Amino acid sequence: MTIAVAVSGGTDSLYALLTLKEQGHNIFALHAHFLAPCKEREEAIGAMCASLDIPFHAVDLHEEFEQCVVEPFMNEYVQGRTPNPCAICNATMKFGALLREAERLGADTIATGHYAVLEDHPVYGRTLSRGHDPKKDQSYFLSLVPKSQLEKALFPLGKMKKEDIKAELAERGIVPAYPSESQEICFVPNDDYRAFLLQKGAELGTAGNMELADGTIVGKHNGLWQYTEGQRKGLGIAWKEPLYVIKKDLEKNVLVVGPKQELFSTGCTVSHMNYLVAPEHWGTKLLARTRYRQQPISVTLHEQNDILIVTYTEPQSPPASGQVFCLYDEDLTVLGGGIIESSLYT
């Protein structure tokens, strides 16, 4: 079996590369230019691989990345939603376009530096579950990747912790070409999505009213795209008690705000579910994450016209529409993932 190891030049992909080489696998390193090609970066990563006696290839995928990740990111904000481009990138690029290029170059599978666990289950088939490092676990961001693509993936770091990897590389005296951590959204300079969208000329919404649930006007918003459900800071409202963003009414261009007791929702609706384990194999206890840093919460659900209706066991602050919904069983095996459409309230 030939393994393509996706390398960015950072610590995680370097360790994955070394691990597979030392295990005796037939490997080559594969670097993708998702942004405009950078010759200096490619040469630095190529030199790193050459020093380890590992074949190196680079592919230019920046136009496809623009089409599959950047443009949908912009369109979601135009529609007043809050997208998760990293999850979309995993599904369409890292385990889509890059996997395609890896196979073109002769690979049977692709390995990455993701902190998640892939294992073969006697009933489920290939399963995805949480990484053993709780601070780095990336199963949430991988839940949209189709099962057929995960079957061609390897995650050598899934059962490791970041600090152990750093320590082991330091002990060996091996330095990554780009040791610093990557920024949150790779294509957004300084993580300033507002400046990025304005610079790209996205057709964003105009200012409108901030209103309480009963229609009382309490202020003006600067465009619904600049706000997220559950947000408290930065609203610029002088009121007798703190106000939070409850929801965004796109038809009326109204930002609905309210006190904390009105914030909590009882569930959400989810579309575009990517099932990694068939529902007939699910247990009775289901857990979910509606945001990355959230601890899994208990949920019940049913499907209605291809929309998943999710009910929380206990009320939760509302997730942002456009974010990822990741469903787990009680062993934290990922059952599937989808896109949050709206929050539900009693």
Side-chain angles (χ1 to χ4, degrees):
M1 183 173 69
T2 300
I3 304 171
V5 185
V7 291
S8 63
T11 300
D12 298 332
S13 60
L14 171 58
Y15 191 85
L17 193 68
L18 286 170
T19 296
L20 293 170
K21 177 180 173 62
E22 291 171 358
Q23 290 173 353
H25 293 288
N26 181 32
I27 66 172
F28 64 85
L30 180 60
H31 175 65
H33 291 290
F34 289 150
L35 306 182
C38 175
K39 185 177 181 181
E40 179 183 346
R41 188 178 188 92
E42 180 179 324
E43 289 176 348
I45 297 172
M48 180 187 74
C49 293
S51 70
L52 300 170
D53 194 27
I54 297 173
F56 171 76
H57 297 276
V59 290
D60 180 6
L61 297 174
H62 83 278
E63 291 184 358
E64 198 164 347
F65 182 84
E66 180 80 15
Q67 179 182 356
C68 294
V69 180
V70 179
E71 290 179 6
F73 173 85
M74 294 170 56
N75 291 336
E76 285 285 90
Y77 272 108
V78 168
Q79 296 174 43
R81 293 154 61 90
T82 306
N84 194 312
C86 297
I88 300 302
C89 178
N90 282 331
T92 62
M93 298 301 300
K94 291 179 181 174
F95 301 97
L98 188 58
L99 172 59
R100 179 196 70 217
E101 292 301 303
E103 291 178 323
R104 181 181 63 81
L105 290 165
D108 302 292
T109 187
I110 188 168
T112 69
H114 284 92
Y115 288 84
V117 176
L118 282 173
E119 293 179 320
D120 292 317
H121 188 280
V123 177
Y124 299 166
R126 197 68 175 277
T127 61
L128 170 71
S129 56
R130 292 187 72 176
H132 289 200
D133 187 337
K135 296 179 182 178
K136 298 295 292 182
D137 165 53
Q138 292 168 298
S139 59
Y140 175 83
F141 295 107
L142 292 161
S143 62
L144 302 184
V145 180
K147 188 179 182 74
S148 61
Q149 291 164 217
L150 287 177
E151 287 173 346
K152 296 180 179 181
L154 293 173
F155 299 148
L157 277 55
K159 297 182 179 181
M160 300 196 66
K161 292 191 174 181
K162 179 80 172 191
E163 57 263 31
D164 295 334
I165 289 170
K166 286 184 174 180
E168 194 164 331
L169 288 177
E171 186 177 326
R172 299 186 193 189
I174 299 174
V175 180
Y178 291 89
S180 60
E181 293 286 324
S182 59
Q183 64 184 54
E184 188 172 345
I185 302 177
C186 68
F187 58 88
V188 176
N190 304 314
D191 289 331
D192 187 345
Y193 77 92
R194 292 181 175 89
F196 174 79
L197 291 169
L198 292 171
Q199 184 271 327
K200 294 284 281 188
E203 296 181 4
L204 302 165
T206 57
N209 289 336
M210 288 187 187
E211 299 180 5
L212 300 178
D214 64 5
T216 300
I217 298 174
V218 296
K220 293 285 186 180
H221 67 74
N222 298 317
L224 296 179
W225 64 279
Q226 299 196 50
Y227 303 87
T228 301
E229 291 89 336
Q231 178 179 338
R232 181 175 71 86
K233 295 181 179 180
L235 299 183
I237 306 173
W239 198 248
K240 59 187 177 182
E241 58 185 322
L243 297 178
Y244 298 76
V245 175
I246 305 298
K247 64 178 181 178
K248 296 186 271 190
D249 187 331
L250 300 180
E251 289 187 9
K252 298 179 180 179
N253 193 28
V254 167
L255 189 71
V256 180
V257 298
K260 192 169 185 178
Q261 61 266 28
E262 294 180 10
L263 177 66
F264 295 100
S265 68
T266 55
C268 63
T269 59
V270 178
S271 67
H272 299 89
M273 273 299 292
N274 171 51
Y275 290 106
L276 297 178
V277 175
E280 58 264 28
H281 297 310
W282 297 356
T284 55
K285 185 176 181 180
L286 300 176
L287 303 171
R289 292 159 84 185
T290 59
R291 53 179 63 85
Y292 173 47
R293 293 297 181 186
Q294 178 187 45
Q295 287 299 311
I297 59 174
S298 178
V299 299
T300 59
L301 46 84
H302 70 275
E303 195 168 19
Q304 180 178 315
N305 299 326
D306 295 328
I307 296 293
L308 207 60
I309 311 298
V310 180
T311 302
Y312 311 137
T313 302
E314 297 180 0
Q316 304 287 323
S317 59
S321 58
Q323 284 290 295
V324 171
F325 171 84
C326 183
L327 184 67
Y328 299 88
D329 68 9
E330 59 184 327
D331 297 321
L332 297 181
T333 295
V334 179
L335 303 175
I339 303 297
I340 295 169
E341 291 297 324
S342 61
S343 289
L344 301 174
Y345 299 86
T346 52

